[in-house]
Amino acid sequence: MDMMEKLEILTASAKYDVACTSSGSERKNQAGGLGNAVSMGICHSFAADGRCISLLKVLMTNGCIYDCAYCVNRKSNQTRRAALTPEELADLTMQFYRRNYIEGLFLSSGIMRSPDYTTEQMIAALELLRNTYHFRGYIHVKAIPGTDDVLLSRLGLLADRMSVNIELPSQESLGRLAPDKSKSSILKPMSLIKEKINENRSDLVKYNHAPRFAPAGQSTQMIVGATPDTDFRILTLTEGLYRKYGLKRVFFSAYTPVVEHSLLPALDTKPPLLREHRLYQADWLLRFYGFQAGELLDEAAPNFNPLLDPKCSWAVNHREQFPVEINRAAYEQLLRVPGIGVRSAQRIVKARRAGALDFAALKKLGVVLKRAQFFITCKGKMLEGLKVSEHTLLRSLMSGQELAALEPPQYEQLTLFDDSDLAALPAAGAAVHKRGDWP
Amino acid sequence: MFKPAALAYTYDGSFEGLLCCVFESYQWKETPLAIHSDGEEQGLLLESKWIATDSSRADRVLKSLPLRICPEAEELVRLGFWSCTPDRELLLLNFLYLGFTHGRKVMNMLADDTVNTLHKAVQQLRREAHLYLGFVRFSVYGPVMAAVIEPKGFVLPVIQDHFCDRFYGESFMIYDKTHRVALIHQPGQQAIIPLEEWIPPEPDAAEEEYRRLWKGFYNAIGIRERKNDRLRSSLMPKRYWKHLTEMKGSTTAASGGKLTGSSKKLEERSLRLGDGDGPFQS
């Protein structure tokens, strides 16, 4: 099999892994080395699906001894198999990197023979890159559940980021679709990585040159839409992972049917991209906006509204906290206003030191007034001429794309407030009807 | 702040030259209605005043920036000068008037039109420079590597440190076709120098092979069920495609080369970038 064929097979098998960032690691080049790592991360290209390409994302092999139902590489799937040797992989990485095609390597693998053997192969490839070629670029490597702790520790010293995929957000789903994996087999390496990172952090305080263990932290991925798990469950789990395991990122992957299976959505099911998008928006709210999962969803309304982004949904349900006065509100309060992001909040805080801000000024600072106007005052006043009725408010909060995505009959439903899409907004519906308490 | 004078300044197009325009304006307490770089089309029927570049004057203006405004102002002005915003000279002059009046506070006046326009211009330049950290494609010709880019703003000085650190031990060149300058690097040496034209040599067999493998990878990594051309084009606009190995031969890539009026202007201006040593380091 020639190189081209191998590369195509191993890339196609790796593409469902969505982690693509090359961020979180800052490393300068040094004499005799090639490459560096930039903490903000660099996208080198964008694939036809619009996703960023930052790393050479391949598997060492797509052969696997496991039989997870959702996975293209599962043992029982009839597919072409290929494998790269550590030498081939290192050469390809170096050559692509020199040409500035990539920011580094994302290495995962099907499980050949045993988790330990697979990890040893990965270590061999990374040692070749780091020690023989003196590669200083970014490396993200997948920790294979079931691998010996000693091997995992060696792997972490060679990589910038490690990840263990959770894939399915509950024990039940895991039990049904991935019988060879268990919650504990996934969480065990995750906590080992966390311990090693913490240990390493204190070592670095003591010894300047302690080798760095996964300096860009660890991440994980969950498949969305392959099982009946709710958004609430996924987001609560996400929050727990940030808190308990100190994860840097949790990625969500809209399930794309790749194999026929009685327990899985039919092959012609479209990947739930909007749902994935909402989860990423909510994830952002957790990491940068000071929200908690319990504020965004609960058992009664366990899924995100497809028509409104999570922040708008929250704001519509918590009108008692609005409007906020732009010239006085704390940064944390500004962050909770729909239409104000991290950047505009920072700009507001900075610009109001030079003078009081009005609506025209906010527009210049990049605030999306279309959404923010309902939730703010400038110098004590709402936007002049602003009318808030049930139609204008919710419609203004939806983006053009979301409105366009609605089928024509659903336009009608918008005004009724009793359809399933808007069911996640019970309080909003109620509040809209008693118009008196809304300024 | 001064009386608007019915005249336009003309300068040599260098950063130092622009600083001399600022000096001139303060010296005569006059505000020009336009500032043109030498050779640029001059649309207005204004009397033109030639401002000679004098490095001692330029130096005085430059030194006053951190003292009378703040150290960050100097960076902002330099980046503003490299941006491709129209009438950037007049914009920078107006910004400096504000800066010398309000001092450090000017950096917070984000809602002011001049400050806002300058910030947006700088942001655009920074964004483009960041994209080029990823979108530069080197070809390997034996012991040297070379890449061609066609940026709108003058990004080479912004991306210089990144590439020189990353490829510390390599000999490479990044040719900016828009501004006709090249960043040239050899271990221990680097410079941005004017270069009229540069045509990449034919690739050898190994280079062809890695290009082919990269294209193979690029095509294999996209998920068919999620195809989204609009998203791709917004994250990787088509004007970059011409020089991206993986997009070559792509249907719309060829149309990126047409010259619009403004980019023509840019090209002419850039010819003179070689005169002053402002943007150049050695």
Side-chain angles (χ1 to χ4, degrees), chain A residues 2 7 27 40 68 86-87 168 181 208 227 257 262 305 408 416:
Chain A
D2 79 343
L7 183 62
R27 181 171 44 242
M40 66 190 153
C68 305
E87 290 75 21
L168 301 168
K181 289 185 184 172
N208 223 348
T227 52
S262 59
N305 188 308
L416 296 173

Side-chain angles (χ1 to χ4, degrees), chain A residues 58-211:
Chain A
V58 285
L59 302 183
M60 286 224 68
T61 175
N62 66 338
C64 192
I65 56 170
Y66 287 167
D67 207 24
C68 305
Y70 54 81
C71 182
V72 240
N73 305 317
R74 64 182 185 149
K75 189 170 60 181
S76 59
N77 191 31
Q78 291 290 323
T79 183
R80 293 197 68 190
R81 307 287 177 174
L84 286 170
T85 63
E87 290 75 21
E88 287 171 328
L89 191 68
D91 176 68
L92 204 57
T93 308
M94 293 306 287
Q95 295 293 346
F96 278 9
Y97 191 86
R98 281 186 86 194
R99 287 166 176 79
N100 206 42
Y101 296 161
I102 52 168
E103 189 63 15
L105 174 66
F106 175 107
L107 186 58
S108 178
S109 183
I111 298 170
M112 35 184 159
R113 294 191 221 169
S114 72
D116 281 353
Y117 178 80
T118 311
T119 306
E120 277 165 8
Q121 289 291 302
M122 292 163 102
I123 289 175
L126 299 200
E127 278 183 339
L128 205 52
L129 275 170
R130 291 289 197 218
N131 303 338
T132 307
Y133 294 121
H134 304 288
F135 177 65
R136 311 258 310 151
Y138 196 89
I139 297 179
H140 178 154
V141 70
K142 201 44 90 48
I144 310 281
T147 303
D148 185 77
D149 288 359
V150 177
L151 291 174
L152 277 186
S153 308
R154 274 175 65 197
L155 196 60
L157 288 172
L158 296 163
D160 288 280
R161 176 171 282 182
M162 285 178 94
S163 59
V164 195
N165 280 359
I166 287 187
E167 306 293 17
L168 301 168
S170 67
Q171 181 79 55
E172 303 96 277
S173 304
L174 216 51
R176 284 199 318 177
L177 295 179
D180 304 310
K181 289 185 184 172
S182 69
K183 197 172 142 191
S184 63
S185 76
I186 295 165
L187 293 180
K188 191 170 159 270
M190 214 178 246
S191 56
L192 176 82
I193 296 169
K194 179 199 160 203
E195 270 166 42
K196 285 279 168 192
I197 292 174
N198 288 346
E199 230 171 76
N200 186 234
R201 209 168 280 150
S202 54
D203 281 354
L204 280 170
V205 177
K206 281 185 266 176
Y207 326 103
N208 223 348
H209 292 288

